[in-house]
PDB file of all heavy atoms in Angstrom:
ATOM      1  N   ALA C  45       2.095  27.024   5.563  1.00  0.00           N
ATOM      2  CA  ALA C  45       2.202  25.590   5.292  1.00  0.00           C
ATOM      3  C   ALA C  45       0.942  24.852   5.745  1.00  0.00           C
ATOM      4  O   ALA C  45       0.450  23.957   5.044  1.00  0.00           O
ATOM      5  CB  ALA C  45       3.444  25.010   5.977  1.00  0.00           C
ATOM      6  N   CYS C  46       0.393  25.232   6.890  1.00  0.00           N
ATOM      7  CA  CYS C  46      -0.840  24.607   7.378  1.00  0.00           C
ATOM      8  C   CYS C  46      -2.012  24.930   6.458  1.00  0.00           C
ATOM      9  O   CYS C  46      -2.817  24.048   6.136  1.00  0.00           O
ATOM     10  CB  CYS C  46      -1.146  25.058   8.808  1.00  0.00           C
ATOM     11  SG  CYS C  46      -0.017  24.403  10.039  1.00  0.00           S
ATOM     12  N   GLU C  47      -2.113  26.190   6.028  1.00  0.00           N
ATOM     13  CA  GLU C  47      -3.186  26.576   5.104  1.00  0.00           C
ATOM     14  C   GLU C  47      -3.069  25.804   3.800  1.00  0.00           C
ATOM     15  O   GLU C  47      -4.064  25.300   3.269  1.00  0.00           O
ATOM     16  CB  GLU C  47      -3.155  28.078   4.835  1.00  0.00           C
ATOM     17  CG  GLU C  47      -3.600  28.902   6.018  1.00  0.00           C
ATOM     18  CD  GLU C  47      -3.420  30.400   5.813  1.00  0.00           C
ATOM     19  OE1 GLU C  47      -2.614  30.812   4.945  1.00  0.00           O
ATOM     20  OE2 GLU C  47      -4.089  31.159   6.535  1.00  0.00           O
ATOM     21  N   PHE C  48      -1.854  25.669   3.291  1.00  0.00           N
ATOM     22  CA  PHE C  48      -1.631  24.922   2.054  1.00  0.00           C
ATOM     23  C   PHE C  48      -2.035  23.465   2.235  1.00  0.00           C
ATOM     24  O   PHE C  48      -2.719  22.884   1.377  1.00  0.00           O
ATOM     25  CB  PHE C  48      -0.151  25.015   1.642  1.00  0.00           C
ATOM     26  CG  PHE C  48       0.163  24.281   0.381  1.00  0.00           C
ATOM     27  CD1 PHE C  48      -0.043  24.879  -0.848  1.00  0.00           C
ATOM     28  CD2 PHE C  48       0.671  22.990   0.418  1.00  0.00           C
ATOM     29  CE1 PHE C  48       0.252  24.212  -2.029  1.00  0.00           C
ATOM     30  CE2 PHE C  48       0.961  22.310  -0.753  1.00  0.00           C
ATOM     31  CZ  PHE C  48       0.752  22.919  -1.985  1.00  0.00           C
ATOM     32  N   ALA C  49      -1.638  22.861   3.347  1.00  0.00           N
ATOM     33  CA  ALA C  49      -1.985  21.462   3.607  1.00  0.00           C
ATOM     34  C   ALA C  49      -3.493  21.279   3.692  1.00  0.00           C
ATOM     35  O   ALA C  49      -4.049  20.343   3.104  1.00  0.00           O
ATOM     36  CB  ALA C  49      -1.311  20.992   4.897  1.00  0.00           C
ATOM     37  N   LEU C  50      -4.164  22.162   4.408  1.00  0.00           N
ATOM     38  CA  LEU C  50      -5.621  22.052   4.541  1.00  0.00           C
ATOM     39  C   LEU C  50      -6.335  22.257   3.211  1.00  0.00           C
ATOM     40  O   LEU C  50      -7.301  21.556   2.896  1.00  0.00           O
ATOM     41  CB  LEU C  50      -6.133  23.058   5.575  1.00  0.00           C
ATOM     42  CG  LEU C  50      -5.758  22.753   7.016  1.00  0.00           C
ATOM     43  CD1 LEU C  50      -6.079  23.950   7.905  1.00  0.00           C
ATOM     44  CD2 LEU C  50      -6.475  21.504   7.509  1.00  0.00           C
ATOM     45  N   ASP C  51      -5.866  23.214   2.421  1.00  0.00           N
ATOM     46  CA  ASP C  51      -6.482  23.496   1.125  1.00  0.00           C
ATOM     47  C   ASP C  51      -6.265  22.368   0.118  1.00  0.00           C
ATOM     48  O   ASP C  51      -7.008  22.247  -0.849  1.00  0.00           O
ATOM     49  CB  ASP C  51      -5.937  24.801   0.530  1.00  0.00           C
ATOM     50  CG  ASP C  51      -6.391  26.036   1.289  1.00  0.00           C
ATOM     51  OD1 ASP C  51      -7.352  25.930   2.083  1.00  0.00           O
ATOM     52  OD2 ASP C  51      -5.779  27.102   1.087  1.00  0.00           O
ATOM     53  N   ASN C  52      -5.244  21.556   0.332  1.00  0.00           N
ATOM     54  CA  ASN C  52      -4.886  20.522  -0.635  1.00  0.00           C
ATOM     55  C   ASN C  52      -5.058  19.105  -0.108  1.00  0.00           C
ATOM     56  O   ASN C  52      -4.565  18.152  -0.719  1.00  0.00           O
ATOM     57  CB  ASN C  52      -3.448  20.739  -1.117  1.00  0.00           C
ATOM     58  CG  ASN C  52      -3.341  22.007  -1.927  1.00  0.00           C
ATOM     59  OD1 ASN C  52      -3.712  22.036  -3.087  1.00  0.00           O
ATOM     60  ND2 ASN C  52      -2.897  23.079  -1.305  1.00  0.00           N
ATOM     61  N   MET C  53      -5.743  18.963   1.013  1.00  0.00           N
ATOM     62  CA  MET C  53      -6.006  17.628   1.558  1.00  0.00           C
ATOM     63  C   MET C  53      -7.005  16.896   0.692  1.00  0.00           C
ATOM     64  O   MET C  53      -7.937  17.494   0.154  1.00  0.00           O
ATOM     65  CB  MET C  53      -6.585  17.731   2.979  1.00  0.00           C
ATOM     66  CG  MET C  53      -5.578  18.018   4.033  1.00  0.00           C
ATOM     67  SD  MET C  53      -6.301  18.201   5.691  1.00  0.00           S
ATOM     68  CE  MET C  53      -7.297  16.745   5.854  1.00  0.00           C
ATOM     69  N   GLU C  54      -6.824  15.594   0.586  1.00  0.00           N
ATOM     70  CA  GLU C  54      -7.829  14.780  -0.059  1.00  0.00           C
ATOM     71  C   GLU C  54      -8.980  14.606   0.910  1.00  0.00           C
ATOM     72  O   GLU C  54      -8.785  14.492   2.111  1.00  0.00           O
ATOM     73  CB  GLU C  54      -7.248  13.420  -0.428  1.00  0.00           C
ATOM     74  CG  GLU C  54      -6.214  13.481  -1.534  1.00  0.00           C
ATOM     75  CD  GLU C  54      -5.722  12.111  -1.935  1.00  0.00           C
ATOM     76  OE1 GLU C  54      -6.367  11.107  -1.567  1.00  0.00           O
ATOM     77  OE2 GLU C  54      -4.697  12.052  -2.604  1.00  0.00           O
ATOM     78  N   ASP C  55     -10.190  14.596   0.372  1.00  0.00           N
ATOM     79  CA  ASP C  55     -11.347  14.371   1.218  1.00  0.00           C
ATOM     80  C   ASP C  55     -11.348  12.923   1.691  1.00  0.00           C
ATOM     81  O   ASP C  55     -11.217  12.002   0.891  1.00  0.00           O
ATOM     82  CB  ASP C  55     -12.641  14.647   0.452  1.00  0.00           C
ATOM     83  CG  ASP C  55     -12.838  16.131   0.171  1.00  0.00           C
ATOM     84  OD1 ASP C  55     -12.307  16.945   0.947  1.00  0.00           O
ATOM     85  OD2 ASP C  55     -13.519  16.454  -0.821  1.00  0.00           O
ATOM     86  N   THR C  56     -11.464  12.750   2.992  1.00  0.00           N
ATOM     87  CA  THR C  56     -11.563  11.407   3.559  1.00  0.00           C
ATOM     88  C   THR C  56     -12.782  11.361   4.454  1.00  0.00           C
ATOM     89  O   THR C  56     -13.077  12.302   5.174  1.00  0.00           O
ATOM     90  CB  THR C  56     -10.314  11.047   4.383  1.00  0.00           C
ATOM     91  OG1 THR C  56     -10.122  12.008   5.408  1.00  0.00           O
ATOM     92  CG2 THR C  56      -9.063  10.992   3.510  1.00  0.00           C
TER      93      THR C  56
END
Side-chain angles (χ1 to χ4, degrees):
C46 290
E47 289 173 339
F48 180 84
L50 290 169
D51 290 344
N52 293 282
M53 282 178 51
E54 291 184 15
D55 290 333
T56 57

